[in-house]
Amino acid sequence: MHFDRELDVKGLNCPLPILRTKKALAEMSAGEVLHVLATDPGAVKDFEAFARQTGNELLSRTETGKSFEFFIRRK
């Protein structure tokens, strides 16, 4: 999937992945896509809730072993 910016938050635990994602999205333009790499097991629920609460679109999420990948479109 095409993305405009990548954010690696592997090794960080809640709430840091969400806080860094929020900061990265704030620096992006509407419609741009952020690719996030995380390892926090709570990230799936956290990113789903974050997307609902902020209006940003969670385009996809995948899990590979203990690693998670998210694509989020800025509103």
Side-chain angles (χ1 to χ4, degrees):
M1 179 179 294
H2 168 79
F3 58 90
D4 301 287
R5 184 170 174 183
E6 186 170 70
L7 179 65
D8 185 345
V9 292
K10 292 184 285 193
L12 300 178
N13 292 318
C14 186
L16 290 176
I18 291 294
L19 293 175
R20 296 211 177 155
T21 297
K22 183 178 179 181
K23 182 178 184 224
L25 286 169
E27 298 169 355
M28 297 172 68
S29 299
E32 288 187 321
V33 175
L34 177 64
H35 177 220
V36 183
L37 302 167
T39 52
D40 181 4
V44 173
K45 288 183 180 179
D46 290 344
F47 277 93
E48 289 172 351
F50 173 77
R52 277 194 311 274
Q53 292 170 358
T54 62
N56 295 298
E57 183 181 0
L58 182 58
L59 299 173
S60 75
R61 64 177 174 93
T62 56
E63 181 178 347
T64 308
K66 294 184 180 185
S67 187
F68 304 94
E69 183 177 42
F70 303 92
F71 288 91
I72 304 168
R73 178 176 288 132
R74 188 181 191 284
K75 66 174 180 175

